[in-house]
Amino acid sequence: MVILVAISCLMLYYRTRSSFFLMSGVVLLTLMLVSEAEGATFNPFEPCNRSPFNQGSLVQGQKTCPGPYCGRVQLLNTSTNDSYGPCGACPRGQRGNAMSICEPCTSEPLFYDWLYIGFMVNLSLGLHLFFIDFFSKGYRAFLLHGAAVVECILATLMTLLLIEPKGSLTIHACGVQTLSDWYTMLNNPTPDYTRTLHCTQEAVYPLYTVVFVIYTFELLLMMLFRPLLSVKLCKNQGRNSIYAALYFLPLLVLLHALCAGLIYYSFPYILIISSLLMHAVHFAYSEIETPKKLVSNLRNLVILLAHWLCHAYGIISLTGLADPPSNLPLLALVVVPMVFYLSTEQFTEPHRIQSNEI
């Protein structure tokens, strides 16, 4: 390439005798020489070595990998030389450091991370309980409710035991830094504008895959035990709720696959808003107008308690209990939706408004 540029410059000079074309050729030749010199010392698509006398950085002339999620895997580690593979995606459970070298993630998840995992588990559990309550009646529904709770707890415990370190309920995490960590597939660089460097990986390990595994175990446990429970003890009342789970569990998997990052940052607000809406919908559907009617039905009290727990979970997730003396009193707000609805319901009754207009 350099020879062709040089010949082109000479031909332009002798043909046109123009200093402008000569100067342009010289500049182009210089740029080509510089680019080839840089390409000779750094190629993200090829392995590289680290000098034993310079342990803090790569060999002079080498650069970090392009893209925020690309890294090199260590291939050789001896007393004289360290060898690293080409830039690419780090193995699962590892993430590139400041020098683009893949290192295992050994940090513990944040309290917010645990709350996120709990939210995704409770989301599926809430749907299980809703459809069981919708399709099943009588005391047999409580058996199905208990089965759904046990399934979700067992699925979560089994998943945590399978994640590194295996056999322990504690897990190692890489942590979440930005929203793009959830969508590494959108950040694959193209160093030379012709070849794409594929660095798609689970940068938020294990927060992305752990939800898929939990939902898989939930589905397996449900198919193993709940049909038998429904037939033997519940007179087949759990059949429709099982069919419903076969629909909403794949939908939850799809939702998490596409919107995991957005849900991670917004689930506290989703919980609080959902709790407010569920209060209003349940009270209106059950025609609860006074506190006496609320406490006279055990089912209404159980549903109200579930709404309170949902609201409290959202407040804890939003504050993170960073300052417990000032955050814990906010939990008293869980009763505000109920008090507000019951105290204002008499002023919003449709037939009273119509009678006053007449």
Side-chain angles (χ1 to χ4, degrees):
M1 180 65 70
V2 175
I3 297 175
L4 291 177
V5 173
I7 294 174
S8 301
C9 292
L10 292 175
M11 292 178 64
L12 288 172
Y13 175 73
Y14 285 112
R15 179 173 292 183
T16 61
R17 301 284 183 173
S18 173
S19 60
F20 172 77
F21 287 104
L22 180 61
M23 185 60 66
S24 300
V26 172
V27 171
L28 182 60
L29 178 61
T30 304
L31 292 176
M32 293 295 298
L33 290 174
V34 171
S35 63
E36 288 196 3
E38 291 183 352
T41 57
F42 172 71
N43 186 352
F45 298 94
E46 295 180 357
C48 71
N49 296 324
R50 175 189 282 188
S51 171
F53 305 104
N54 188 10
Q55 298 295 333
S57 61
L58 297 177
V59 176
Q60 185 178 5
Q62 299 286 355
K63 298 181 180 179
T64 57
C65 295
Y69 303 108
C70 298
R72 296 181 183 272
V73 179
Q74 190 172 27
L75 303 177
L76 177 66
N77 185 8
T78 64
S79 59
T80 58
N81 189 26
D82 291 340
S83 178
Y84 296 87
C87 293
C90 292
R92 186 170 184 266
Q94 298 186 20
R95 188 166 180 176
N97 58 14
M99 297 307 300
S100 298
I101 298 175
C102 297
E103 293 182 341
C105 300
T106 57
S107 61
E108 295 184 357
L110 301 176
F111 179 57
Y112 188 87
D113 298 338
W114 286 112
L115 291 173
Y116 169 74
I117 296 175
F119 168 76
M120 298 304 297
V121 175
N122 288 325
L123 180 60
S124 63
L125 176 60
L127 291 174
H128 279 298
L129 299 180
F130 170 78
F131 284 108
I132 290 173
D133 182 74
F134 185 81
F135 291 114
S136 305
K137 304 298 180 183
Y139 73 93
R140 295 181 178 86
F142 289 100
L143 297 176
L144 297 174
H145 284 129
V149 173
V150 172
E151 290 165 7
C152 292
I153 293 176
L154 288 179
T156 303
L157 293 178
M158 292 169 62
T159 302
L160 295 179
L161 292 175
L162 290 176
I163 298 178
E164 296 292 340
K166 295 182 179 180
S168 174
L169 295 180
T170 59
I171 59 177
H172 293 161
C174 294
V176 182
Q177 300 176 7
T178 61
L179 178 62
S180 61
D181 290 348
W182 294 87
Y183 306 101
T184 57
M185 67 196 71
L186 304 179
N187 293 273
N188 291 327
T190 308
D192 52 5
Y193 299 101
T194 57
R195 299 171 61 189
T196 300
L197 193 59
H198 297 283
C199 299
T200 302
Q201 58 179 303
E202 188 182 7
V204 295
Y205 171 88
L207 297 181
Y208 193 71
T209 54
V210 69
V211 177
F212 295 130
V213 179
I214 291 175
Y215 287 165
T216 302
F217 278 128
E218 281 187 23
L219 181 61
L220 293 177
L221 292 173
M222 182 192 69
M223 297 303 298
L224 284 176
F225 301 108
R226 206 188 301 180
L228 182 63
L229 177 64
S230 176
V231 173
K232 296 296 183 181
L233 300 178
C234 301
K235 294 184 178 180
N236 212 24
Q237 288 192 16
R239 178 184 58 184
N240 292 331
S241 62
I242 295 174
Y243 291 157
L246 295 178
Y247 283 99
F248 71 72
L249 280 176
L251 291 178
L252 288 179
V253 170
L254 179 62
L255 177 66
H256 177 69
L258 299 178
C259 306
L262 300 177
I263 297 174
Y264 178 83
Y265 286 101
S266 62
F267 79 89
Y269 307 97
I270 295 174
L271 278 171
I272 294 175
I273 296 174
S274 300
S275 174
L276 295 175
L277 294 177
M278 287 189 298
H279 269 91
V281 171
H282 171 63
F283 282 18
Y285 180 79
S286 301
E287 298 182 353
I288 299 175
E289 303 173 354
T290 61
K292 182 179 180 180
K293 188 172 182 179
L294 175 64
V295 299
S296 62
N297 191 325
L298 179 60
R299 178 177 177 273
N300 290 335
L301 289 177
V302 173
I303 294 176
L304 179 63
L305 179 61
H307 293 169
W308 284 357
L309 292 176
C310 179
H311 203 112
Y313 197 99
I315 293 175
I316 294 174
S317 302
L318 188 61
T319 61
L321 296 181
D323 186 14
S326 60
N327 297 150
L328 289 177
L330 295 176
L331 296 179
L333 296 175
V334 299
V335 301
V336 171
M338 179 197 69
V339 174
F340 178 80
Y341 184 92
L342 295 178
S343 60
T344 60
E345 193 276 337
Q346 57 181 332
F347 304 109
T348 59
E349 197 58 42
H351 72 273
R352 295 178 181 176
I353 297 175
Q354 293 174 0
S355 62
N356 292 333
E357 290 178 352
I358 295 174

